[in-house]
Amino acid sequence: MNSDQQKRVSTDIVNYTEQEERDYLERILQELDWAIEQADRAVREYSREFRQNQDYLFDQRSGMDEADLVSAGQSITRMTQESGAGLATRRRLVKLSQTPYFGRIDFTPQVTGQRMPIYIGIHSFVANTPGLYPIYDWRAPVSSMFYDFELGDAWYKTPGGTVKGTIELRRQYRIRRSKMEFMIENDVNIQDDVLQLELSRSSDEKMRNIVATIQRDQNAIIRNETSTIMIIQGVAGSGKTSIAIHRIAFLLYRFRDELSSGDILIISPNRVFSDYISNVLPELGETQIPEMGMEDLARELLEHKVNFQTFLQQVFALMNDSGELGERVRFKSSMEFVNLLNRYFVYLENQWLRARDIKIGTATVPAAFVRERFDALQRTPILQRLPMLVDEVQAYVRTELNRKLTGREKTRIFQALNEAASSQSVLELYKGFYTWLKREDLFRMEGDVLEYADVFPLIYCRLRLEGISMFQHVKHLVVDEMQDYTPVQYAVLARLFQGRKTILGDASQAINPYNSATADDIRKLFPQADVVKLNRSYRSTYEITRFTQRIMTDPDLQIIERHGEEPQVVGFQSAEEEEAEIKRLVSDFRASEYRILAIVCKTPSQAEYLFDTLSASDVSLLTEDSDAFREGVVITTVPLAKGLEFDEVIVPYASVDNYATEGDRRLLYIACTRAMHRLTVTHTGKRSPWLV
């Protein structure tokens, strides 16, 4: 704290100097150590009682009646739950002992006029010792002022109303491993100094929590309680995924009596990305949220009965496409496609059942009756109506004959209605859609393998024609990488998940060259959605961000003034020279302070070749089958690198032949925006036209 700042601080403030703050931290740490000891004692006691009850139940089970057994079982269940809660409390206390708090505001409410020091951490903590102030959870209502206000007038909302007052002091701390590394007085710009320090750190193996550096616009998204559907459009490096995860943590805290981790589902792009973000919620004290990829979702919805191409296989196939696949993918990625499918369902409603008279003995069931009863079931999916229609026709015949029906007569009714109906196979009916369009050329299967572009249209048909009641338990759906999903995929999600939704992505980072869903596009599918845009990029240095903006310009992007090395574009006369330079860069990385270097290739074959060339213990290859993200040298492709960030990035083979099309331009942009601190682009021969 400098002398000018000291003059602005009232002399009645508690923990006035930095040394007083350090002394106060030691007192808090002592209190936390005591609380951890108490938690250990409680867990040991739960374990002792649990073993005693188990032993008692084992010894006495032969002489216990049913009521005693039920009572003993309930006691064991209770102790198991208490032990689990005790362990969770202990984990939170241990986490706090490493970093008890990261911020402080002194707030004077208008009502009381009494200044309140408010320390803010990842979790709440109330000490038993007088003179120690509570630590407030970052999600608590009062903590919102730390993110939303500077010195001066401030307010926060509570269930009982709005509390107004004045912030007299703002401080931030970096406390790691129970040691205070620094303290910063914030009297002008919210968190700017700490933000710069955090952004300059080396990348971790996992995504970190950002509670100490949440910005005002980010905080508004995280604490939004009213939007049933929120669409977040964020530029590369804006922290949109991290914000979405922190939003989950906030909602779990705010609505803990009605929302649990099992009520939420995250749709993530791949297993590596799932592993990359897996650390954040446990760091924040929340249970890990269930996650699945779109393909995992598709396999469940198709009951693992249909083989299909993966999304990445489609992306790489499009890179070498002669045009026919692109035409099919383009058509099935459009809103027009969904509209035509919906018109086809209307056609099936009228044509699927060709009603005719059914004669059973002396009774005749008129075709008009069959048609009327079929139409009366219009709220029921078409393929579910036949059994109901059979029951109605049987009842009609019983009335006409005034007797019970024989087994043969029931079979005859069933057969007659089956003959009147069209195919009951969803796949065959989906193929029929292209016959109806007179465009059979737009559907193609390789053996029994469905093209990826047909997977969700088929699921949509199943939803409309059969009805599926899966995932009704999900109260909040999070969809990441929104730009890569087509209108028909969103139509499926809308029917499957009726609860709240958080949808996020960046249209500039789409890897399907025939589809790039913007926030405005998705809002057409979800008219009730609220759209927020994040234009400030935090990941890369100023120099790297300026470089990537020359590849693909976003006029709304705001660059953080964190400076570093200028990106390098290096050309070579031969592939051997280029590969030798890549080896040299890898060697330099190993001698640097950085922890993760990514070599981001365009195609899997390029990545595999470099992996074989650079083979070493610290080199890993990320493929579609990978399920973990690790430090060291990582070789991967652009689609798999999307959403991740690395200290240093090398983009090889950036020649005019490899990155030539508009779709390639987007891939090159994505690859380069993965870099936090250092970026090198290499090429042999003439460079890509996008490297201006």
Side-chain angles (χ1 to χ4, degrees), residues 198-352:
E198 289 296 317
L199 293 177
S200 64
R201 290 178 62 199
S202 179
S203 175
D204 284 339
E205 184 179 336
K206 308 278 187 179
M207 181 182 283
R208 301 188 296 259
N209 80 69
I210 58 167
V211 292
T213 57
I214 293 170
Q215 304 296 288
R216 187 176 303 173
D217 55 345
Q218 297 172 335
N219 192 48
I221 297 169
I222 290 168
R223 293 176 185 266
N224 183 302
E225 300 176 18
T226 58
S227 295
T228 55
I229 300 177
M230 177 175 282
I231 300 172
I232 305 171
Q233 163 70 45
V235 298
S238 59
K240 50 192 172 292
T241 300
S242 186
I243 292 166
I245 297 173
H246 284 70
R247 174 167 162 76
I248 291 171
F250 172 77
L251 294 173
L252 287 169
Y253 173 90
R254 175 67 180 85
F255 300 105
R256 51 189 172 273
D257 294 334
E258 52 195 272
L259 186 70
S260 68
S261 59
D263 299 328
I264 302 172
L265 177 65
I266 299 176
I267 301 290
S268 57
N270 53 64
R271 289 191 294 272
V272 171
F273 184 79
S274 297
D275 179 64
Y276 178 63
I277 67 174
S278 64
N279 199 48
V280 181
L281 280 167
E283 267 197 4
L284 297 172
E286 299 295 345
T287 307
Q288 191 60 35
I289 300 296
E291 294 184 47
M292 65 192 327
M294 271 289 194
E295 288 153 26
D296 300 320
L297 179 67
R299 290 185 187 97
E300 286 204 26
L301 294 173
L302 295 174
E303 299 177 328
H304 299 270
K305 294 177 180 178
V306 179
N307 297 320
F308 57 81
Q309 178 191 44
T310 67
F311 174 61
L312 288 183
Q313 286 170 346
Q314 175 184 277
V315 169
F316 295 128
L318 285 168
M319 291 180 185
N320 302 307
D321 176 44
S322 61
E324 292 182 2
L325 174 61
E327 182 183 5
R328 296 194 294 274
V329 173
R330 181 187 291 107
F331 173 63
K332 295 164 192 178
S333 299
S334 66
M335 192 65 215
E336 177 197 7
F337 175 69
V338 179
N339 294 335
L340 287 170
L341 269 176
N342 288 332
R343 284 172 54 190
Y344 177 62
F345 297 137
V346 174
Y347 166 81
L348 289 179
E349 187 74 35
N350 296 317
Q351 300 298 323
W352 183 78

Side-chain angles (χ1 to χ4, degrees), residues 82-127:
E82 290 175 346
S83 179
L87 286 169
T89 297
R90 186 189 184 281
R91 283 194 294 269
R92 286 194 294 271
L93 290 169
V94 169
K95 185 72 179 176
L96 274 179
S97 71
Q98 297 296 304
T99 306
Y101 44 83
F102 54 82
R104 167 185 171 179
I105 55 174
D106 282 13
F107 180 65
T108 304
Q110 286 180 357
V111 175
T112 65
Q114 183 175 355
R115 183 170 180 155
M116 299 166 28
I118 297 167
Y119 285 87
I120 301 165
I122 289 179
H123 308 300
S124 59
F125 177 69
V126 178

Side-chain angles (χ1 to χ4, degrees), residues 547 550-552 569 653-665 668 681 683 685-692:
F547 177 85
R550 292 198 294 271
I551 298 172
M552 183 173 289
V569 180
Y653 312 131
S655 66
V656 65
D657 297 326
N658 200 32
Y659 287 97
T661 68
E662 187 65 34
D664 293 338
R665 179 185 192 177
L668 188 60
V681 182
H683 63 91
K686 191 174 181 181
R687 68 172 64 177
S688 166
W690 310 123
L691 294 171
V692 293

